[in-house]
mmCIF file of all heavy atoms in Angstrom:
data_model
loop_
_atom_site.group_PDB
_atom_site.id
_atom_site.type_symbol
_atom_site.label_atom_id
_atom_site.label_comp_id
_atom_site.label_asym_id
_atom_site.label_seq_id
_atom_site.Cartn_x
_atom_site.Cartn_y
_atom_site.Cartn_z
ATOM 1 N N ASP A 16 -7.264 -2.307 4.702
ATOM 2 C CA ASP A 16 -6.001 -1.627 5.126
ATOM 3 C C ASP A 16 -5.009 -1.421 3.996
ATOM 4 O O ASP A 16 -3.866 -1.087 4.352
ATOM 5 C CB ASP A 16 -5.410 -2.453 6.258
ATOM 6 C CG ASP A 16 -6.340 -2.554 7.471
ATOM 7 O OD1 ASP A 16 -7.066 -1.569 7.752
ATOM 8 O OD2 ASP A 16 -6.297 -3.533 8.145
ATOM 9 N N LEU A 17 -5.319 -1.666 2.820
ATOM 10 C CA LEU A 17 -4.405 -1.559 1.677
ATOM 11 C C LEU A 17 -4.161 -0.116 1.299
ATOM 12 O O LEU A 17 -5.133 0.743 1.359
ATOM 13 C CB LEU A 17 -4.813 -2.312 0.533
ATOM 14 C CG LEU A 17 -4.885 -3.838 0.659
ATOM 15 C CD1 LEU A 17 -5.463 -4.532 -0.642
ATOM 16 C CD2 LEU A 17 -3.595 -4.367 1.021
ATOM 17 N N PRO A 18 -3.013 0.245 0.790
ATOM 18 C CA PRO A 18 -2.759 1.611 0.273
ATOM 19 C C PRO A 18 -3.774 1.851 -0.873
ATOM 20 O O PRO A 18 -4.052 0.858 -1.658
ATOM 21 C CB PRO A 18 -1.400 1.508 -0.185
ATOM 22 C CG PRO A 18 -0.743 0.320 0.233
ATOM 23 C CD PRO A 18 -1.841 -0.619 0.695
ATOM 24 N N ASP A 19 -4.134 3.108 -1.120
ATOM 25 C CA ASP A 19 -5.002 3.490 -2.220
ATOM 26 C C ASP A 19 -4.653 2.929 -3.635
ATOM 27 O O ASP A 19 -5.399 2.438 -4.369
ATOM 28 C CB ASP A 19 -5.242 5.018 -2.264
ATOM 29 C CG ASP A 19 -6.171 5.448 -1.136
ATOM 30 O OD1 ASP A 19 -6.837 4.632 -0.563
ATOM 31 O OD2 ASP A 19 -6.123 6.709 -0.895
ATOM 32 N N GLY A 20 -3.290 3.039 -3.878
ATOM 33 C CA GLY A 20 -2.925 2.682 -5.270
ATOM 34 C C GLY A 20 -3.126 1.185 -5.469
ATOM 35 O O GLY A 20 -3.489 0.765 -6.580
ATOM 36 N N LEU A 21 -2.991 0.404 -4.439
ATOM 37 C CA LEU A 21 -3.151 -1.043 -4.553
ATOM 38 C C LEU A 21 -4.645 -1.415 -4.559
ATOM 39 O O LEU A 21 -5.110 -2.220 -5.316
ATOM 40 C CB LEU A 21 -2.483 -1.770 -3.434
ATOM 41 C CG LEU A 21 -2.483 -3.273 -3.527
ATOM 42 C CD1 LEU A 21 -2.026 -3.822 -4.838
ATOM 43 C CD2 LEU A 21 -1.648 -3.871 -2.375
ATOM 44 N N GLN A 22 -5.478 -0.737 -3.756
ATOM 45 C CA GLN A 22 -6.956 -0.904 -3.798
ATOM 46 C C GLN A 22 -7.495 -0.618 -5.178
ATOM 47 O O GLN A 22 -8.303 -1.356 -5.701
ATOM 48 C CB GLN A 22 -7.587 0.014 -2.753
ATOM 49 C CG GLN A 22 -7.350 -0.536 -1.307
ATOM 50 C CD GLN A 22 -8.171 0.324 -0.319
ATOM 51 O OE1 GLN A 22 -8.977 1.126 -0.705
ATOM 52 N NE2 GLN A 22 -7.948 0.066 0.949
ATOM 53 N N ASP A 23 -6.984 0.451 -5.743
ATOM 54 C CA ASP A 23 -7.473 0.883 -7.134
ATOM 55 C C ASP A 23 -7.066 -0.192 -8.140
ATOM 56 O O ASP A 23 -7.844 -0.559 -9.015
ATOM 57 C CB ASP A 23 -6.889 2.206 -7.535
ATOM 58 C CG ASP A 23 -7.411 3.390 -6.698
ATOM 59 O OD1 ASP A 23 -8.445 3.157 -6.042
ATOM 60 O OD2 ASP A 23 -6.746 4.398 -6.697
ATOM 61 N N ARG A 24 -5.951 -0.685 -8.055
ATOM 62 C CA ARG A 24 -5.446 -1.733 -8.997
ATOM 63 C C ARG A 24 -6.288 -3.049 -8.861
ATOM 64 O O ARG A 24 -6.619 -3.638 -9.783
ATOM 65 C CB ARG A 24 -3.945 -1.982 -8.981
ATOM 66 C CG ARG A 24 -3.179 -0.895 -9.510
ATOM 67 C CD ARG A 24 -1.678 -1.300 -9.660
ATOM 68 N NE ARG A 24 -1.067 -0.353 -10.664
ATOM 69 C CZ ARG A 24 -0.107 0.381 -10.199
ATOM 70 N NH1 ARG A 24 0.389 0.359 -9.022
ATOM 71 N NH2 ARG A 24 0.496 1.185 -11.097
ATOM 72 N N LEU A 25 -6.563 -3.387 -7.590
ATOM 73 C CA LEU A 25 -7.288 -4.606 -7.400
ATOM 74 C C LEU A 25 -8.804 -4.371 -7.840
ATOM 75 O O LEU A 25 -9.427 -5.303 -8.379
ATOM 76 C CB LEU A 25 -7.300 -4.908 -5.832
ATOM 77 C CG LEU A 25 -6.016 -5.489 -5.344
ATOM 78 C CD1 LEU A 25 -6.113 -5.702 -3.900
ATOM 79 C CD2 LEU A 25 -5.564 -6.699 -6.059
ATOM 80 N N ALA A 26 -9.285 -3.206 -7.612
ATOM 81 C CA ALA A 26 -10.646 -2.874 -8.055
ATOM 82 C C ALA A 26 -10.755 -3.011 -9.617
ATOM 83 O O ALA A 26 -11.709 -3.544 -10.153
ATOM 84 C CB ALA A 26 -11.123 -1.584 -7.631
ATOM 85 N N GLU A 27 -9.709 -2.537 -10.327
ATOM 86 C CA GLU A 27 -9.672 -2.639 -11.769
ATOM 87 C C GLU A 27 -9.644 -4.070 -12.222
ATOM 88 O O GLU A 27 -10.428 -4.487 -13.124
ATOM 89 C CB GLU A 27 -8.415 -1.882 -12.255
ATOM 90 C CG GLU A 27 -8.371 -1.825 -13.797
ATOM 91 C CD GLU A 27 -7.733 -3.026 -14.400
ATOM 92 O OE1 GLU A 27 -6.833 -3.629 -13.841
ATOM 93 O OE2 GLU A 27 -8.180 -3.454 -15.538
ATOM 94 N N ARG A 28 -8.830 -4.856 -11.569
ATOM 95 C CA ARG A 28 -8.780 -6.328 -11.928
ATOM 96 C C ARG A 28 -10.105 -7.100 -11.616
ATOM 97 O O ARG A 28 -10.580 -7.785 -12.385
ATOM 98 C CB ARG A 28 -7.667 -6.989 -11.116
ATOM 99 C CG ARG A 28 -6.313 -6.765 -11.714
ATOM 100 C CD ARG A 28 -5.185 -7.479 -10.906
ATOM 101 N NE ARG A 28 -3.984 -7.253 -11.488
ATOM 102 C CZ ARG A 28 -3.336 -8.237 -12.119
ATOM 103 N NH1 ARG A 28 -3.762 -9.486 -12.174
ATOM 104 N NH2 ARG A 28 -2.177 -7.967 -12.718
ATOM 105 N N GLU A 29 -10.726 -6.763 -10.473
ATOM 106 C CA GLU A 29 -11.913 -7.318 -10.136
ATOM 107 C C GLU A 29 -13.007 -6.923 -11.144
ATOM 108 O O GLU A 29 -13.848 -7.793 -11.530
ATOM 109 C CB GLU A 29 -12.308 -6.983 -8.692
ATOM 110 C CG GLU A 29 -13.469 -7.732 -8.155
ATOM 111 C CD GLU A 29 -14.810 -7.328 -8.637
ATOM 112 O OE1 GLU A 29 -14.927 -6.160 -8.955
ATOM 113 O OE2 GLU A 29 -15.714 -8.179 -8.653
ATOM 114 N N GLY A 30 -13.012 -5.731 -11.553
ATOM 115 C CA GLY A 30 -13.958 -5.227 -12.551
ATOM 116 C C GLY A 30 -13.817 -5.850 -13.807
ATOM 117 O O GLY A 30 -14.761 -6.182 -14.563
ATOM 118 N N ARG A 31 -12.592 -6.147 -14.311
ATOM 119 C CA ARG A 31 -12.199 -6.662 -15.519
ATOM 120 C C ARG A 31 -12.457 -8.224 -15.591
ATOM 121 O O ARG A 31 -13.023 -8.801 -16.476
ATOM 122 C CB ARG A 31 -10.815 -6.401 -15.921
ATOM 123 C CG ARG A 31 -10.454 -6.813 -17.299
ATOM 124 C CD ARG A 31 -9.111 -6.257 -17.727
ATOM 125 N NE ARG A 31 -8.058 -6.165 -16.748
ATOM 126 C CZ ARG A 31 -7.212 -7.131 -16.446
ATOM 127 N NH1 ARG A 31 -7.168 -8.228 -17.089
ATOM 128 N NH2 ARG A 31 -6.263 -6.971 -15.498
ATOM 129 N N LEU A 32 -12.007 -8.871 -14.486
ATOM 130 C CA LEU A 32 -12.041 -10.330 -14.457
ATOM 131 C C LEU A 32 -13.215 -10.981 -13.615
ATOM 132 O O LEU A 32 -13.637 -12.030 -13.932
ATOM 133 C CB LEU A 32 -10.707 -10.853 -13.896
ATOM 134 C CG LEU A 32 -9.445 -10.438 -14.566
ATOM 135 C CD1 LEU A 32 -8.204 -10.918 -13.777
ATOM 136 C CD2 LEU A 32 -9.438 -10.970 -15.969
ATOM 137 N N GLY A 33 -13.732 -10.190 -12.664
ATOM 138 C CA GLY A 33 -14.707 -10.700 -11.733
ATOM 139 C C GLY A 33 -14.174 -11.460 -10.615
ATOM 140 O O GLY A 33 -14.937 -12.112 -9.802
ATOM 141 N N TYR A 34 -12.851 -11.580 -10.461
ATOM 142 C CA TYR A 34 -12.191 -12.232 -9.312
ATOM 143 C C TYR A 34 -10.816 -11.696 -9.138
ATOM 144 O O TYR A 34 -10.258 -10.952 -10.012
ATOM 145 C CB TYR A 34 -12.137 -13.808 -9.590
ATOM 146 C CG TYR A 34 -11.309 -14.163 -10.763
ATOM 147 C CD1 TYR A 34 -9.886 -14.540 -10.552
ATOM 148 C CD2 TYR A 34 -11.753 -14.210 -12.059
ATOM 149 C CE1 TYR A 34 -9.149 -14.845 -11.637
ATOM 150 C CE2 TYR A 34 -11.034 -14.603 -13.139
ATOM 151 C CZ TYR A 34 -9.690 -14.889 -12.917
ATOM 152 O OH TYR A 34 -8.853 -15.299 -13.913
ATOM 153 N N ILE A 35 -10.150 -12.128 -8.027
ATOM 154 C CA ILE A 35 -8.761 -11.800 -7.800
ATOM 155 C C ILE A 35 -8.046 -13.178 -7.795
ATOM 156 O O ILE A 35 -8.524 -14.122 -7.196
ATOM 157 C CB ILE A 35 -8.563 -11.201 -6.472
ATOM 158 C CG1 ILE A 35 -9.269 -9.817 -6.275
ATOM 159 C CG2 ILE A 35 -7.064 -10.916 -6.110
ATOM 160 C CD1 ILE A 35 -8.831 -8.775 -7.243
ATOM 161 N N ASN A 36 -6.958 -13.229 -8.509
ATOM 162 C CA ASN A 36 -6.338 -14.576 -8.604
ATOM 163 C C ASN A 36 -5.747 -14.962 -7.209
ATOM 164 O O ASN A 36 -5.401 -14.074 -6.415
ATOM 165 C CB ASN A 36 -5.262 -14.729 -9.696
ATOM 166 C CG ASN A 36 -3.957 -13.984 -9.502
ATOM 167 O OD1 ASN A 36 -3.573 -13.777 -8.425
ATOM 168 N ND2 ASN A 36 -3.371 -13.503 -10.622
ATOM 169 N N GLY A 37 -5.535 -16.229 -6.959
ATOM 170 C CA GLY A 37 -5.181 -16.714 -5.687
ATOM 171 C C GLY A 37 -3.836 -16.245 -5.192
ATOM 172 O O GLY A 37 -3.654 -15.992 -4.102
ATOM 173 N N PHE A 38 -2.838 -16.057 -6.185
ATOM 174 C CA PHE A 38 -1.544 -15.602 -5.795
ATOM 175 C C PHE A 38 -1.639 -14.272 -5.213
ATOM 176 O O PHE A 38 -1.038 -13.939 -4.214
ATOM 177 C CB PHE A 38 -0.655 -15.646 -7.092
ATOM 178 C CG PHE A 38 0.684 -15.008 -6.826
ATOM 179 C CD1 PHE A 38 1.716 -15.842 -6.208
ATOM 180 C CD2 PHE A 38 1.014 -13.723 -7.170
ATOM 181 C CE1 PHE A 38 2.890 -15.300 -5.989
ATOM 182 C CE2 PHE A 38 2.242 -13.211 -7.014
ATOM 183 C CZ PHE A 38 3.178 -14.012 -6.383
ATOM 184 N N LEU A 39 -2.401 -13.347 -5.859
ATOM 185 C CA LEU A 39 -2.547 -11.995 -5.397
ATOM 186 C C LEU A 39 -3.341 -12.048 -4.041
ATOM 187 O O LEU A 39 -2.975 -11.237 -3.108
ATOM 188 C CB LEU A 39 -3.246 -11.102 -6.438
ATOM 189 C CG LEU A 39 -2.425 -10.689 -7.634
ATOM 190 C CD1 LEU A 39 -3.309 -9.809 -8.481
ATOM 191 C CD2 LEU A 39 -1.226 -10.027 -7.138
ATOM 192 N N ALA A 40 -4.320 -12.832 -3.928
ATOM 193 C CA ALA A 40 -5.149 -12.821 -2.769
ATOM 194 C C ALA A 40 -4.281 -13.187 -1.523
ATOM 195 O O ALA A 40 -4.350 -12.553 -0.456
ATOM 196 C CB ALA A 40 -6.308 -13.862 -2.815
ATOM 197 N N VAL A 41 -3.423 -14.198 -1.714
ATOM 198 C CA VAL A 41 -2.539 -14.615 -0.551
ATOM 199 C C VAL A 41 -1.557 -13.588 -0.376
ATOM 200 O O VAL A 41 -1.124 -13.172 0.775
ATOM 201 C CB VAL A 41 -1.963 -15.964 -0.805
ATOM 202 C CG1 VAL A 41 -0.964 -16.354 0.188
ATOM 203 C CG2 VAL A 41 -3.027 -17.053 -0.871
ATOM 204 N N GLY A 42 -0.967 -12.965 -1.484
ATOM 205 C CA GLY A 42 0.101 -12.074 -1.313
ATOM 206 C C GLY A 42 -0.280 -10.728 -0.719
ATOM 207 O O GLY A 42 0.587 -9.921 -0.318
ATOM 208 N N LEU A 43 -1.591 -10.480 -0.650
ATOM 209 C CA LEU A 43 -2.037 -9.207 0.025
ATOM 210 C C LEU A 43 -1.636 -9.033 1.420
ATOM 211 O O LEU A 43 -1.744 -7.964 1.999
ATOM 212 C CB LEU A 43 -3.520 -8.999 -0.244
ATOM 213 C CG LEU A 43 -3.983 -8.844 -1.625
ATOM 214 C CD1 LEU A 43 -5.563 -8.874 -1.749
ATOM 215 C CD2 LEU A 43 -3.426 -7.530 -2.219
ATOM 216 N N HIS A 44 -1.172 -10.073 2.047
ATOM 217 C CA HIS A 44 -0.680 -10.024 3.396
ATOM 218 C C HIS A 44 0.705 -9.133 3.377
ATOM 219 O O HIS A 44 1.115 -8.718 4.396
ATOM 220 C CB HIS A 44 -0.350 -11.268 4.021
ATOM 221 C CG HIS A 44 -1.598 -12.092 4.285
ATOM 222 N ND1 HIS A 44 -2.525 -11.758 5.258
ATOM 223 C CD2 HIS A 44 -2.139 -13.097 3.689
ATOM 224 C CE1 HIS A 44 -3.505 -12.514 5.307
ATOM 225 N NE2 HIS A 44 -3.436 -13.400 4.330
ATOM 226 N N HIS A 45 1.223 -8.929 2.186
ATOM 227 C CA HIS A 45 2.538 -8.144 1.999
ATOM 228 C C HIS A 45 2.204 -7.191 0.851
ATOM 229 O O HIS A 45 2.653 -7.395 -0.269
ATOM 230 C CB HIS A 45 3.627 -9.039 1.682
ATOM 231 C CG HIS A 45 3.937 -10.117 2.689
ATOM 232 N ND1 HIS A 45 4.563 -9.791 3.821
ATOM 233 C CD2 HIS A 45 3.612 -11.376 2.772
ATOM 234 C CE1 HIS A 45 4.624 -10.889 4.667
ATOM 235 N NE2 HIS A 45 4.071 -11.796 4.008
#
């Protein structure tokens, strides 16, 4: 349900790091 701009940024981070940091994961509720 995330906006495209945010989905793209998360996909870039996941591609670069292989994970999403916990702060962002929890923050995705906002």
Side-chain angles (χ1 to χ4, degrees):
D16 296 327
L17 296 178
D19 285 345
L21 185 51
Q22 287 185 8
D23 293 341
R24 285 195 164 114
L25 291 175
E27 183 277 327
R28 282 177 175 255
E29 193 281 333
R31 182 169 42 89
L32 302 173
Y34 65 92
I35 300 296
N36 73 31
F38 177 80
L39 289 181
V41 173
L43 289 175
H44 292 288
H45 301 283

